[in-house]
Amino acid sequence: MTLGSTYQADARDRFAPFMALDRLTTEQRDELLHGGTDMHRGGELCACFGVSCGAVEAAIADGATSLAAVGATTQAGTNCGSCRSEIRALLRAARLVKAA
Ligand code: FES
């Protein structure tokens, strides 16, 4: 039975290092179970530069408080602009969390 006609080489490459280990650390187990590190999580937000949602969230957590600041850090939103509304939504969500 074939589940799909294509496979993701990135996913295979991400799993390869884990296969060589006898035992996983907590961090390695979390990375494996959650689909990658923070920088890879959440899927691709900016198609122009291949920036993940996690990378934008990390930039915001590191102090980027505006669309321009996120763009300066990650390049997300600095080309076609179609991802800017998603970046703004993440900025708003971060402001709400910070205010709470
Ligand atoms: S998709 Fe982000 S700038 Fe084009």
Side-chain angles (χ1 to χ4, degrees):
M1 182 172 130
T2 303
L3 295 176
S5 59
T6 62
Y7 69 94
Q8 291 183 321
D10 291 352
R12 185 200 60 206
D13 293 345
R14 190 170 59 78
F15 289 126
F18 295 110
M19 298 306 187
L21 300 173
D22 291 332
R23 188 179 181 104
L24 299 176
T25 65
T26 301
E27 292 78 21
Q28 291 166 329
R29 188 176 59 229
D30 286 347
E31 181 180 341
L32 192 60
L33 292 173
H34 292 111
T37 63
D38 287 345
M39 299 306 281
H40 298 105
R41 281 187 205 131
E44 189 176 77
L45 186 145
C46 178
C48 288
F49 295 106
V51 180
S52 71
C53 187
V56 171
E57 288 173 330
I60 293 169
D62 287 344
T65 58
S66 67
L67 189 61
V70 169
T73 305
T74 66
Q75 290 189 291
T78 61
N79 192 40
C80 75
S82 65
C83 61
R84 289 178 190 156
S85 62
E86 292 178 69
I87 297 168
R88 285 189 191 101
L90 291 175
L91 285 164
R92 276 194 301 274
R95 281 188 211 113
L96 289 173
V97 168
K98 194 173 183 179

